[in-house]
Structure formats: structure tokens, C-alpha cells
Amino acid sequence: MTLSAMTTPSVAPRPATYREVFAVGQFRVLFGSYTLFLIGETVRMLALSVIVYAATGSPLMSALAYAAGFLPYALGGALLLAFADRWPPRTVMVGYEVLRTAVSAVLAAGVLPVPAMLALVFVTGLPSAVASASRTALLPDLLDGDRYVLGRAVFSMAAGGTQVLGFAAGGMLIAAVGAPGALWITAATCLASAGLLQLRLADHPRRRTGGSAGIGETWQVNRALLRRPAVRALLLAQWLAPALMVGAEGVLVPYAAEVGVPDAAGLLFAAVAAGMFAGNLIVGRLVSPAGRERLAGPLALALGLPLLGFALSPAPVYAAVLLTVSGFGVAYQLALAHRFLDAVPEPQRGQAFGLLLTGTMTLQGLAAAAGGALGEVAAPGLVVALAGAASAVAALTSWRTLSPTRRP
């Protein structure tokens, strides 16, 4: 893979500021709804994973519960992504939040056995690829230049920060009201997000009209995007290293139990999220656009290398430090944000971002499930270390893409 065909983006002389980003009212609405989405999803994933592990005692089933929110992206991305450009963004996002409200209520009611719960989460998660694509593709319509890159950083920080709060609060909620009560709280956040979007977000038009959207168009556009060398290289660079690192997250609950502190699972998950938050905060705001490009490769390596320390079965506090450093490395993707935006055709922007998100979530779900499967026959600490080694190798294979672009 080469970057010779890539469009070289213009680089701002200085990074944008958070004040400039949050001065845009429509961005504040989108950010608020996304934060509610993340809080609810984080609590749901933790509660469902705890319920399944308590019911089965199986690391594999626990990992599948954790991955159940990821894997639907594979089918949704293959079947439905064309609708991200064919339907108005607000309609897509509000509809999906209403669906999430209903699913969370059914899970909270506790009327389904474990296999049926996982199947429900999987099937109803299929539209998630379209909703995420619509949200992400709307961002460059609201923010321009380096404000767009910093806006992406803010979204990543929200993913880290709300997960820190979500996992911490989720553990306390489960202790206080039980996992079903935590799932009812998830339903409330979904409903609040839907109301915020419907009442405050402007009704942006669809990107493509004419013809019919569906499976055929989704496959056709996905193939066309993947045939572009620039797009393909950027997709692989953003997919592989983080996905393999997530294989470690699939066994964090069993790892906490192995080291004798089962209640530390929330701390370990929160450590990854805290690292993500810190990385995007520091790299997004304090590092220049050119500096981000120079740091992309080392930061991508930082995703996996710290996890090698799990081979020594560190105590939860030390394990949390390693996971925090690993999460910090996610900030490498900021260097690729504008490159990817410039590499895709505007009428296909929604589907391009959907393809990026689909690959990310699908590979992360598969990696988490694979980590859980390996945890059936190997110690969780060894599984985490192997996931880190695989992530580091993936970063090295994408090194040319991660290197700074040559400028005329």
C-alpha cells in the first residue's frame, strides 16, 4: 500500500481551540446526544456482561456479551449503509435511539434467557452502523478545517470520558440497584438522546437522491471505496491495531477474577477509557497538525506494547496504568482524520464513514470474542499480552501509512 495517490490536505498553522468548536450550537446538540448514547451503551455493556458471566461462569460467554454490541456492524455495514446517504441524518439517529430504548427495556425486564438476550442485542444492533455513519458524516458539515479534527478529538474524548464515568457509575449502579436497574437507566438515556435530537438538531438533507438504496447499492459503493488505494490504506491503518488491542478487553472481567479482585473489572475498563480521553485531549489541543502526523506511528505502537506487561500478571493498580498508556495511543487516529475526509467523494461520505465504523466495530467485536475464546484455554493475563503483541505488529505493517505525508 502506498500513499502516492492520496490527496494531501492543507494543514492549519496551529490547532483549533475547544472554544471555537463548542461555539457551534449544532455541534453542541450532536455532542450532547452522543454523550447520552455513550453513557447508556457503556452501562448496558457492563451490566449485560456481568449478568452473563454470573449466569454462566464462562469467559467466552462474557466476552460474547461484551461483543454483542459490536458484531452487528458487520451485517449492518454490508446490508444497510447506503441509507446513511439516502435518509436525512436526524431521522436515522432519532429512529435508532427509539429502538435502543425498547431493547434496553426488554433486557431490563429480565424475561429472556441468556442466548435470547444476546440474539436480541445482535439483531436490533444492525441499524447501528447506519446511525453512527449519519452522525459522523454530519460532523464535517458543522465544523471546517482543523475545527473538524478537534471535533473528532472531542468525540473521542467523550468516548473515553463517559466510559470512565459509565464504568465507574455502572459498577455502583449494579451494586445499588442490580443489573436490571442499570439497564432501565440505559433506556432513559436513549429516550433523552432521541428527544434532544428531535427538538434541537436541524433537519439536514440527504446526500444522495434518485434510484433505490439497499443491499446492492451498499455493496457497490463499499467495493468502489475499497478499490481506492488511498481509502483502503487509511481504513486498514485505522482498523487493525485498535481492533487487536480490544481483544484484551474481552478478558478483563476474567482477569480481575484471576488476580483475586473481581470488583476491579470496572477500574480496568475505565483505565482504557481514561487513556483515550487524555490522549485526545493532549494530542488534539496541544500538538500541531504536523506534529500529530509525526506522532502517529509511535502512538499506534503504544496501543499494544504496554499490554505485554500483562504476561507478568500485574496487580489491578499496575494493570490499570498499562491500560491507560494503551488507551492514550488511540490519539494516533487524529493524524488520519482529515486525510480520510479528503480521500472520499462527498456524495459517498456517509457510507465511507459507515464503512470505517463498520470495520472498526466488526473487527473489535471479533477480537473481543477471540480473546474470550482463547481465555477458555489460556490465562487471561497471557491473552492480554498476546493481544498487545498482535496490535503492535499491525501498527508496524501500517507504518508507511502512519508516516507523515510528503508535501510539495
Side-chain angles (χ1 to χ4, degrees), residues 154-184:
V154 169
F155 269 52
S156 295
M157 288 163 58
T162 58
Q163 284 180 51
V164 170
L165 297 175
F167 283 125
M172 291 187 292
L173 285 171
I174 291 171
V177 300
L183 289 170
W184 282 116

Side-chain angles (χ1 to χ4, degrees), residues 349-376:
R349 180 188 293 169
Q351 187 157 345
F353 279 111
L355 182 60
L356 172 62
L357 292 165
T358 295
T360 297
M361 298 297 283
T362 300
L363 291 173
Q364 288 183 0
L366 291 174
L374 189 56
E376 295 283 340

Side-chain angles (χ1 to χ4, degrees), residues 19-192:
R19 179 174 297 179
E20 292 169 352
V21 170
F22 280 99
V24 180
Q26 286 289 283
F27 172 80
R28 294 197 300 271
V29 173
L30 195 65
F31 174 75
S33 70
Y34 182 58
T35 301
L36 288 168
F37 166 82
L38 287 171
I39 292 172
E41 196 69 1
T42 300
V43 172
R44 183 195 64 79
M45 289 171 65
L46 182 60
L48 188 59
S49 183
V50 168
I51 287 172
V52 171
Y53 190 63
T56 65
S58 168
L60 174 59
M61 292 301 292
S62 177
L64 288 176
Y66 182 78
F70 293 74
L71 296 179
Y73 272 73
L75 283 178
L79 304 178
L80 305 173
L81 272 184
F83 292 105
D85 291 311
R86 293 286 189 175
W87 287 350
R90 188 179 68 181
T91 300
V92 173
M93 290 185 284
V94 170
Y96 184 56
E97 292 294 345
V98 171
L99 176 63
R100 290 179 64 237
T101 303
V103 171
S104 298
V106 172
L107 294 175
V111 296
L112 299 177
V114 167
M117 292 172 71
L118 297 181
L120 176 66
V121 172
F122 182 87
V123 172
T124 57
L126 293 178
S128 58
V130 182
S132 296
S134 296
R135 181 191 303 113
T136 307
L138 187 59
L139 192 58
D141 290 340
L142 306 179
L143 302 171
D144 59 355
D146 198 51
R147 288 197 304 172
Y148 162 69
V149 177
L150 195 58
R152 287 286 300 271
V154 169
F155 269 52
S156 295
M157 288 163 58
T162 58
Q163 284 180 51
V164 170
L165 297 175
F167 283 125
M172 291 187 292
L173 285 171
I174 291 171
V177 300
L183 289 170
W184 282 116
I185 293 175
T186 294
T189 63
C190 297
L191 195 59

